[in-house]
Amino acid sequence: MAGDDARREQNGGRERERERELELELELELDLGAEWAGEDEKVGGARSMNRKVLAGVAIGMGACVAVTAPFLTPALRRHILPYVPATTSQLDDALALVASALRRSTARAALQPPPLPPPPPHTLIDLGSGDGRVTLGALQKFDVRELRRADGVELNAWLVWYSRLRAWRLGLRARSKFMRTDLWALDLQRYDVVVVFGVKEMMPDLERKLSTELKPHAAVVATRFALPTWRCAEKRGLAWLYYRSDQR
């Protein structure tokens, strides 16, 4: 009997030790599981943060492309006409030559035999109008009896919309039109004065276009670079005034 009791007690001790080992193993597994879960949360958080950063970068790059593309795409064309705003002195010189052209046109109309026709309704076009400062500056300088309307042609959509906004704010929308188109595709026949702030490489082709499309009495004001072969009627600084009727 005593031997049986000793064996039962011994077996019970072994079972309790086994149960304790199982409890320790379970606690270890739970601790490892919690640690791994924490690591997973960290990794998941890092991945989520990386995705947000990548999305922000993508949106920023897309916005950058949307804003800069209109400024860069003209460089892909045959002639590059970059957006370089006219300085105050360049604008003053150009408008002074426009004034000379308008005076000459009005004087010639007055010399016509009676009955005297009214002065021609002068119209102006700025090729590569940028932010509209030349077009709107001309309309501010000359009233409707001297300059009926002035238009601008520009490839950059942002600058076209900005020019239209400025025209509206200045109360000049009825006398102006800003077009988003290629200047080489525009027919210049209906304009009396053409203004261009050009680049050297485009001037020979532009001269040929002017020779073909302009009316005999039309005037051209070229700023920064002169036309290569046309005879200049007047010069102020880096601005040249030409008349179509003076050319061959």
Side-chain angles (χ1 to χ4, degrees):
M1 294 292 293
D4 291 339
D5 291 338
R7 282 194 295 273
R8 282 196 295 271
E9 185 177 352
Q10 186 178 5
N11 290 336
R14 289 174 179 173
E15 289 178 359
R16 285 193 295 275
E17 290 178 0
R18 180 59 180 164
E19 290 175 358
R20 181 57 181 166
E21 290 176 358
L22 292 175
E23 290 176 359
L24 291 174
E25 290 178 0
L26 180 59
E27 289 178 1
L28 179 60
E29 289 177 0
L30 291 174
D31 290 341
L32 290 174
E35 184 177 347
W36 290 339
E39 292 296 327
D40 288 342
E41 289 180 1
K42 291 179 181 179
V43 173
R47 289 176 177 171
S48 177
M49 181 61 70
N50 289 339
R51 285 194 292 268
K52 291 179 181 178
V53 171
L54 290 174
V57 171
I59 292 173
M61 292 179 64
C64 182
V65 170
V67 172
T68 59
F71 292 89
L72 298 177
T73 49
L76 303 178
R77 298 178 180 269
R78 180 178 58 173
H79 294 294
I80 301 173
L81 190 56
Y83 170 55
V84 181
T87 65
T88 301
S89 61
Q90 290 173 343
L91 180 59
D92 290 343
D93 289 341
L95 293 182
L97 294 182
V98 170
S100 294
L102 298 181
R103 285 195 300 269
R104 169 167 159 165
S105 177
T106 302
R108 286 192 172 186
L111 293 176
Q112 298 298 318
L116 293 177
H122 297 118
T123 56
L124 178 147
I125 180 71
D126 181 18
L127 303 180
S129 54
D131 61 6
R133 67 182 60 191
V134 175
T135 302
L136 299 177
L139 291 175
Q140 289 177 302
K141 184 178 180 65
F142 308 108
D143 64 30
V144 69
R145 293 169 298 178
E146 299 172 290
L147 184 64
R148 180 170 59 87
R149 65 175 298 110
D151 298 339
V153 57
E154 171 63 49
L155 276 176
N156 187 315
W158 294 102
L159 294 175
V160 170
W161 282 107
Y162 177 75
S163 300
R164 292 171 180 172
L165 176 62
R166 285 194 64 206
W168 174 76
R169 293 185 63 181
L170 293 170
L172 298 172
R173 185 171 58 175
R175 296 174 61 201
S176 64
K177 181 180 180 181
F178 291 95
M179 300 167 281
R180 182 175 181 264
T181 188
D182 189 344
L183 67 88
W184 302 103
L186 182 69
D187 186 2
L188 302 177
Q189 185 175 2
R190 64 181 181 272
Y191 293 103
D192 302 296
V193 182
V194 176
V195 180
V196 58
F197 282 68
V199 294
K200 185 176 181 179
E201 292 77 12
M202 70 177 287
M203 302 312 280
D205 285 344
L206 179 61
E207 186 179 86
R208 285 189 287 271
K209 178 179 176 65
L210 297 169
S211 298
T212 302
E213 298 179 12
L214 289 184
K215 295 177 287 189
H217 71 269
V220 178
V221 176
T223 305
R224 293 182 181 144
F225 291 94
L227 294 172
T229 66
W230 274 25
R231 185 160 61 92
C232 175
E234 187 177 344
K235 183 178 183 297
R236 289 177 62 98
L238 288 178
W240 295 262
L241 173 62
Y242 307 91
Y243 294 102
R244 178 65 186 90
S245 58
D246 292 345
Q247 317 309 319
R248 296 177 182 177

